[in-house]
Amino acid sequence: MQIGATPRDVKVFRFSIDARGGVTYVDARGEEDYAPPKPHDFAWKLAGRDAHVAGKFPHVNVLDEVFVDTIGGDLTIKVENNTKEGQGIYREPVDDANQTLDDAEVWYAKTGALVLLRVKPFREVAYRHLVVDVKRRRVTRIDALGQACLSLPEGHGIVFPGGLYLDGGDFKLFDGDEVGMSFERVIKSPNGEDVAYVFYRDSDGQYSILHYNLIRREAEAPLRCNGYSLFADGTLTVFRASSEPTRTHPVQIWRTPFTSADFAAQAKTDGSYLAKVGNAELVRGVSDALSLARLAARPDPTRQTYDELVRAASRLLDGAYWLGHAEAEDLAATVKALGKAVEAVLDEFEKVEQIRARARAEVEAARRRLAALEKEDLASLQSIDAFLVALTDRRKLLGEVLTLRELREVELSAVDALEAGARAAFDAASAACVTFLLGRDAFAELCARLDRAVVEMEAVTKASELVAFAKDLDTVSSGLSLLAEVISGLKVDDATQRTRILESVSAAFSQQNRARATLAARKKELGRREGEAELAVQLSLLAQSVAA
């Protein structure tokens, strides 16, 4: 009898019925018989103060695998015990940004390879439920875990109202209203291959039956109804209530593998070896073999993937004794060969990972340099020197990007994007330079600087002081060559303007060659003088040594 606001507020009266149909009142303490099964087949544990890790960004340590905090305005999940940085693999905002680490409740549980979190930030009413896949560094928020959550057989993952999350990273959430659903019962087939989870919502009498197959590792869309009956031969009759009263009530009939144990025992077999092994044992082995095949077929394997392959192959060989039989096509030999191949790959995988890391680092460095060049304001360049530097930097970057294609394990799509960006940056600088050159006598300052360099070189008294001049002239020469190439390649409508620019470049080259000739002559002269002085000192030193 419902005695409160919700269907769960009940008083349960118990009666007994004798052989003659007589009814006798027993008591009013039947709530335990009426209570539904436990919604979780694991126990939530509260993270205490001993799990708190102090630092610039403190967090709660969960099993040394997951690290949680709700400070700074975000619920943050990390998989590294790093309190120096606040970044993680997952974050979502919280209502109160000023809370401390002690203000939030963090509950946790581990089932298989998954870590489940139940977090209530400060001043929030509802708990947030998250699934952390540590292997794949992925976090998924699934609040339905608070209603019910059970472990799938053979450590395949978890199931909850309206969906499931597998240990291989597959996540499936079916459409439909699952709010308020609680766990009712689990139905296992005698063949060991199928299992059904029944969830129930007592507010409207709605059932949701989720069918999971261990071999395929997948679930069918939940069967929703208002009542069902399962018979010994696996026949399932489903009833759905109508919104209006009616004289006829349609009933669906399904054929399912959920027969009774007695019915399955009476089924005839062909007497083969695999029939003697038993379907349940075969299902377990075939499921593990398919998991092994899925792992081996991953397009982007990691070191962790290969480690899992080795463990999975060993587990399959140890658990399925029948793999080597002829009726099983000697699957054991294939599994052993796969294990040896994986072990050989592991020896080289570290080298490949290092090569990939270097390639990623080179690409990222080029991307940062391109971003820095794209931020430069070309309109602010007011001298030919500035344009020479801009053109040289962009041409150098383009050359570095083109050489990235020669790197092993480099991501070619990223290199293509970088090349397109580098070419666009170079073309933009080239066009801006031509506009600048057409506007005024742009080479006057450069020619004056070269003249000053000639005068200063003639006044130098040491050959070592000419190094800076040589470096400056090399830069000017490289920029002028690049500038001449750019101007020759650009389309300038007025041929007279192109000729005027090229003449200016030629004059600048002449000044640069004059300065370089002065540098060579001055270097030769100073070198001769310094050599004569050094020889005289060496001869004097030799004379003193002989005299001594």
Side-chain angles (χ1 to χ4, degrees), residues 18-173:
D18 57 27
R20 298 181 179 181
V23 179
T24 305
Y25 172 76
V26 177
D27 58 32
R29 296 191 295 271
E31 284 79 6
E32 293 185 1
D33 297 337
Y34 180 76
K38 293 182 179 180
H40 304 90
D41 59 358
F42 54 83
W44 292 104
K45 297 180 181 179
L46 178 63
R49 292 294 301 272
D50 57 335
H52 291 193
V53 181
K56 183 179 180 181
F57 297 96
H59 54 229
V60 178
N61 183 343
V62 176
L63 301 173
D64 289 329
E65 295 183 271
V66 179
F67 307 91
V68 187
D69 74 72
T70 57
I71 60 177
D74 292 312
L75 165 60
T76 304
I77 310 295
K78 296 183 284 188
V79 293
E80 295 179 356
N81 191 5
N82 185 357
T83 57
K84 296 181 181 180
E85 298 181 1
Q87 301 297 324
I89 61 173
Y90 177 85
R91 60 172 44 197
E92 61 180 42
V94 296
D95 293 346
D96 192 333
N98 299 318
Q99 58 189 285
T100 64
L101 196 63
D102 299 334
D103 294 331
E105 291 184 26
V106 179
W107 298 76
Y108 65 91
K110 185 170 184 180
T111 170
L114 305 175
V115 176
L116 312 181
L117 297 176
R118 187 170 183 255
V119 183
K120 186 172 80 169
F122 184 55
R123 290 183 178 176
E124 295 189 20
V125 178
Y127 283 89
R128 308 184 186 198
H129 295 81
L130 304 105
V131 177
V132 183
D133 190 343
V134 181
K135 292 181 180 179
R136 290 155 190 85
R137 301 169 66 91
R138 187 170 68 185
V139 180
T140 307
R141 180 170 175 177
I142 308 174
D143 287 334
L145 299 183
Q147 301 169 211
C149 178
L150 299 103
S151 301
L152 290 169
E154 307 297 334
H156 284 196
I158 58 173
V159 62
F160 49 87
L164 72 168
Y165 196 109
L166 302 183
D167 63 345
D170 295 330
F171 168 60
K172 183 67 176 179
L173 188 64

Side-chain angles (χ1 to χ4, degrees), residues 422-434:
R423 290 189 184 279
F426 181 78
D427 291 343
S430 301
C433 182
V434 171

Side-chain angles (χ1 to χ4, degrees), residues 197-492:
Y197 295 89
V198 182
F199 301 96
Y200 178 66
R201 182 168 54 215
D202 46 17
S203 61
D204 58 357
Q206 181 85 7
Y207 286 94
S208 176
I209 305 174
L210 186 65
H211 178 195
Y212 177 73
N213 184 273
L214 274 74
I215 288 184
R216 298 193 305 272
R217 290 201 173 208
E218 60 184 28
E220 300 175 359
L223 182 62
R224 295 180 172 87
C225 60
N226 295 98
Y228 69 94
S229 293
L230 183 61
F231 297 92
D233 62 351
T235 301
L236 176 69
T237 59
V238 175
F239 166 80
R240 294 185 178 89
S242 303
S243 58
E244 299 292 338
T246 179
R247 297 184 61 180
T248 59
H249 300 275
V251 175
Q252 284 186 343
I253 299 177
W254 296 81
R255 290 291 182 188
T256 74
F258 301 104
T259 62
S260 66
D262 294 338
F263 185 88
Q266 296 173 3
K268 295 182 179 180
T269 64
D270 57 3
S272 63
Y273 173 79
L274 294 182
K276 295 177 182 178
V277 171
N279 200 73
E281 185 70 27
L282 294 175
V283 165
R284 187 179 299 109
V286 171
S287 177
D288 290 343
L290 289 175
S291 300
L292 190 64
R294 280 188 285 266
L295 278 173
R298 283 188 178 176
D300 52 348
T302 63
R303 172 60 186 262
Q304 198 169 31
T305 303
Y306 289 117
D307 290 336
E308 288 182 25
L309 271 170
V310 173
R311 290 194 296 268
S314 177
R315 185 171 57 249
L316 179 58
L317 290 172
D318 294 340
Y321 61 88
W322 46 269
L323 282 180
H325 198 272
E327 290 187 19
E329 304 294 339
D330 193 15
L331 188 57
T334 303
V335 175
K336 290 178 181 177
L338 176 62
K340 292 181 179 178
V342 172
E343 290 176 355
V345 169
L346 279 174
D347 295 336
E348 298 295 328
F349 189 77
E350 290 293 341
K351 298 178 182 178
V352 174
E353 280 295 289
Q354 292 176 1
I355 293 173
R356 289 178 178 174
R358 284 198 298 269
R360 288 193 296 266
E362 292 287 344
V363 170
E364 184 60 29
R367 187 179 289 114
R368 289 195 297 267
R369 289 196 294 273
L370 176 60
L373 291 177
E374 289 175 341
K375 291 180 180 179
E376 292 183 2
D377 184 12
L378 296 175
S380 64
L381 302 181
Q382 298 298 325
S383 66
I384 191 60
D385 286 346
F387 277 105
L388 291 179
V389 172
L391 289 171
T392 303
D393 290 343
R394 283 157 177 76
R395 173 58 64 88
K396 181 179 178 181
L397 175 62
L398 180 58
E400 292 174 354
V401 169
L402 293 176
T403 59
L404 290 178
R405 296 186 180 278
E406 302 175 5
L407 295 178
R408 289 178 54 194
E409 304 296 334
V410 72
E411 186 179 352
L412 293 179
S413 59
V415 177
D416 291 339
L418 282 174
E419 182 182 349
R423 290 189 184 279
F426 181 78
D427 291 343
S430 301
C433 182
V434 171
T435 302
F436 174 77
L437 295 176
L438 290 175
R440 65 177 106 175
D441 189 6
F443 290 92
E445 182 180 348
L446 176 61
C447 291
R449 182 161 67 88
L450 290 172
D451 289 338
R452 288 195 303 270
V454 170
V455 175
E456 292 173 359
M457 282 187 291
E458 291 178 348
V460 167
T461 59
K462 298 180 181 179
S464 59
E465 297 177 358
L466 295 174
V467 175
F469 292 99
K471 184 177 180 181
D472 188 27
L473 290 177
D474 288 341
T475 302
V476 172
S477 177
S478 175
L480 288 174
S481 299
L482 179 59
L483 185 60
E485 179 184 345
V486 169
I487 296 172
S488 300
L490 287 178
K491 293 181 179 180
V492 180

